[in-house]
Amino acid sequence: QVQLVESGGGLVQAGGSLRLSCAASGGTFTTYPMGWFRQAPGKEREFVAAISRSGGGTRTADSVKGRFIISRDNAKKTVYLQMNSLKLEDTAVYYCAATARSETYVAFARNSEYNYWGQGTQVTVSS
């Protein structure tokens, strides 16, 4: 079983930045493909960004492309989401996820491809 703990959420003004962290522990493998998803009130959970096991392959949703950057530090077993130029519509609970897929360079973007989830961290963007 993989345990994921998100941190770094909070209240920030539009145009500001936040850095989310996701610390992983347990599980069979040392590294996993991982991703960030978010869910706003009344909306379905949506893909934000994903990163391959190696860290060399990444994907970002069109809505955050150019503003958000996903990265990982496998020595620390931590994945990060650097969020810049935040907008009001970025307000949501952000979830970290991991999958047991073994591909080294593939980043996965679908909810159904992930089987481990963190508890979420709230990000609120104000004007």
Side-chain angles (χ1 to χ4, degrees), residues 37-77:
F37 295 78
R38 66 187 183 186
Q39 188 167 25
K43 298 181 66 177
E44 64 183 16
R45 187 169 298 184
E46 67 172 342
F47 167 75
V48 176
I51 190 165
S52 66
R53 293 178 64 202
S54 68
T58 62
R59 295 184 183 183
T60 54
D62 289 342
S63 60
V64 304
K65 196 176 297 293
R67 299 188 298 119
F68 291 10
I69 301 170
I70 188 170
S71 63
R72 69 189 303 160
D73 184 339
N74 287 339
K76 297 181 178 179
K77 301 182 70 174

Side-chain angles (χ1 to χ4, degrees), residues 103-121:
E103 291 90 340
T104 301
Y105 302 108
V106 180
F108 302 93
R110 294 184 177 185
N111 289 336
S112 61
E113 293 171 322
Y114 291 87
N115 36 33
Y116 305 107
W117 295 84
Q119 82 287 349
T121 185

Side-chain angles (χ1 to χ4, degrees), residues 72-83:
R72 69 189 303 160
D73 184 339
N74 287 339
K76 297 181 178 179
K77 301 182 70 174
T78 301
V79 173
Y80 305 96
L81 183 67
Q82 178 66 47
M83 305 185 294

